[in-house]
Amino acid sequence: MKALITGITGQDGSYLADFLLEKGYQVYGMVRRASTENFERIEHIKDRVHLVQADLLDQLSMINVIKEANPDEIYNLAAQSFVPTSWDQPVLTGEFTALGVTRMLEAIRLVNPKIKFYQASSSEMFGKVRETPQTELTPFYPRSPYGVAKVYGHWITINYRESYNIYACSGILFNHESPRRGKEFVTKKITDAVARIKLGLEKELRLGTMDAKRDWGFAGDYVRAMWLMLQQGSPDDYVIATGRTHSVRDFCKIAFEHVGLNYNDYVKIDQRFVRPAEVDLLLGDSTKAQKALKWDIQVPFEELVKMMVDADLEIYKKRMK
């Protein structure tokens, strides 16, 4: 089996590549031509994956990369995926995160409609939630340009599935983290700061809010769900979540306590980090995925937080030697 992963250099892309290689896949990773290359997350498997250059903004490059890789499955994980940046670059976010999905689906339709397609949808589509917990049938109410773009990507995937009979799935993934998370995300910002504070490299951590609640899981568990979606008899959409919610405050408390510190002594609220429109509570119901895909959580929240702190501590200890 051959798979093409867009966004292979990101958190999810790297874990998915690991997973598919273990399954015996030939893995192709789509990367953008850039003046600086960041392959840090896939350095350990770089000699086992085929990197191909293309861009979600360029339709012809999508067609060419599918012809070159000739994949059985495509996992579209590439996007402008940072919510705060979507406020600063709303048009570019729409080009990548919304229209980029259309370009990929159109390329599949033109080159080989038998390719199975996975679209990375997001819990941010629920935004100002209409019900709790959120299921596959909960109405969307996005609260950021990123969330709006993801709603477009979600619905265009359904449209191509129903209009052209393409095996196209969307995974509505709730927040999922790991030691490979980018520093721009609040979870990594916290664990990185905890490691630095513990080692005397930093004195405080500034955050925008402590009360926002999220359903946080481990990225390694979530990429398994992506694969399972493409192994079913027919395509469908699934919520992937832990079914438990925790606040930013909870995350801080566990992270700081793990290294013997009290978060109250180090965390400061800074209005610069407050979003124009905040998403207060996200909590997913993954019953459908648990039943249909036989999917389950293997890394609980507390273990995830400690795993991230330990990884960041290790990074800084090595640098200090």
Side-chain angles (χ1 to χ4, degrees):
M1 292 286 285
K2 288 196 282 187
L4 172 65
I5 303 172
T6 74
I8 192 170
T9 59
Q11 169 188 260
D12 292 9
S14 64
Y15 276 106
L16 180 61
D18 288 341
F19 179 85
L20 293 177
L21 286 170
E22 285 179 19
K23 290 281 182 188
Y25 276 67
Q26 277 187 53
V27 176
Y28 288 79
M30 194 185 95
V31 294
R32 296 171 66 204
R33 188 185 298 276
S35 55
T36 56
E37 296 180 339
N38 183 11
F39 297 137
E40 184 182 347
R41 294 186 183 93
I42 58 168
E43 201 61 51
H44 63 293
I45 54 169
K46 202 174 165 191
D47 59 340
R48 298 172 60 200
V49 300
H50 309 274
L51 297 180
V52 287
Q53 289 190 337
D55 196 313
L56 285 176
L57 301 186
D58 181 56
Q59 181 72 71
L60 186 58
S61 73
M62 297 281 90
I63 292 169
N64 288 338
V65 83
I66 291 176
K67 285 180 178 177
E68 180 183 344
N70 189 27
D72 300 289
E73 300 169 355
I74 292 177
Y75 296 85
N76 185 40
L77 311 185
Q80 191 303 98
S81 59
F82 188 44
V83 175
T85 298
S86 76
W87 292 103
D88 298 328
Q89 300 180 330
V91 176
L92 186 66
T93 298
E95 286 286 351
F96 274 116
T97 309
L99 292 178
V101 187
T102 313
R103 294 186 189 102
M104 180 60 85
L105 285 164
E106 191 63 3
I108 290 171
R109 184 181 74 83
L110 293 169
V111 178
N112 180 8
K114 289 188 169 59
I115 293 171
K116 291 185 175 182
F117 177 75
Y118 171 84
Q119 165 60 14
S121 286
S122 167
S123 58
E124 287 285 333
M125 301 189 304
F126 295 121
K128 191 175 180 180
V129 297
R130 316 314 285 163
E131 64 181 9
T132 299
Q134 293 90 55
T135 72
E136 292 80 5
L137 300 177
T138 301
F140 299 136
Y141 195 142
R143 295 268 281 171
S144 66
Y146 170 76
V148 172
K150 279 294 185 182
V151 170
Y152 177 98
H154 183 81
W155 279 111
I156 201 69
T157 300
I158 292 171
N159 269 256
Y160 270 71
R161 178 169 75 213
E162 296 178 349
S163 303
Y164 300 116
N165 201 30
I166 291 172
Y167 191 113
C169 295
S170 284
I172 307 174
L173 271 56
F174 280 63
N175 295 66
H176 46 288
E177 317 298 324
S178 76
R180 300 181 193 174
R181 190 45 127 174
K183 284 186 183 178
E184 67 272 25
F185 291 85
V186 69
T187 50
K188 183 69 169 182
K189 182 179 179 181
I190 293 168
T191 61
D192 181 79
V194 167
R196 288 168 61 84
I197 290 169
K198 179 63 177 177
L199 297 172
L201 301 172
E202 194 70 67
K203 293 182 178 178
E204 65 179 19
L205 165 62
R206 291 183 171 271
L207 296 173
T209 178
M210 297 286 280
D211 299 318
K213 293 182 177 180
R214 295 291 184 273
D215 184 327
W216 275 303
F218 173 52
D221 287 338
Y222 286 40
V223 300
R224 185 164 28 92
M226 299 175 187
W227 177 78
L228 285 168
M229 288 180 211
L230 298 195
Q231 313 313 311
Q232 305 308 304
S234 57
D236 207 347
D237 307 319
Y238 300 88
V239 163
I240 303 299
T242 70
R244 294 175 63 202
T245 187
H246 299 275
S247 66
V248 175
R249 190 181 307 280
D250 295 334
F251 199 107
C252 286
K253 187 172 185 291
I254 293 170
F256 276 94
E257 284 182 353
H258 183 53
V259 296
L261 300 175
N262 185 332
Y263 78 94
N264 287 310
D265 297 334
Y266 302 98
V267 178
K268 304 286 188 291
I269 300 301
D270 190 329
Q271 293 303 312
R272 290 178 301 162
F273 300 115
V274 177
R275 295 180 186 179
E278 183 57 78
V279 175
D280 298 317
L281 171 64
L282 291 174
L283 176 63
D285 180 352
S286 58
T287 302
K288 180 178 173 182
Q290 291 169 31
K291 289 181 177 177
L293 307 178
K294 305 294 187 286
W295 176 80
D296 61 353
I297 288 290
Q298 294 181 359
V299 179
F301 175 72
E302 291 81 1
E303 190 178 321
L304 168 64
V305 178
K306 294 173 183 177
M307 176 201 303
M308 292 177 67
V309 172
D310 287 342
D312 287 335
L313 275 170
E314 195 62 33
I315 288 170
Y316 285 110
K317 283 178 181 176
K318 283 180 180 177
R319 290 180 188 173
M320 291 169 71
K321 284 182 179 177

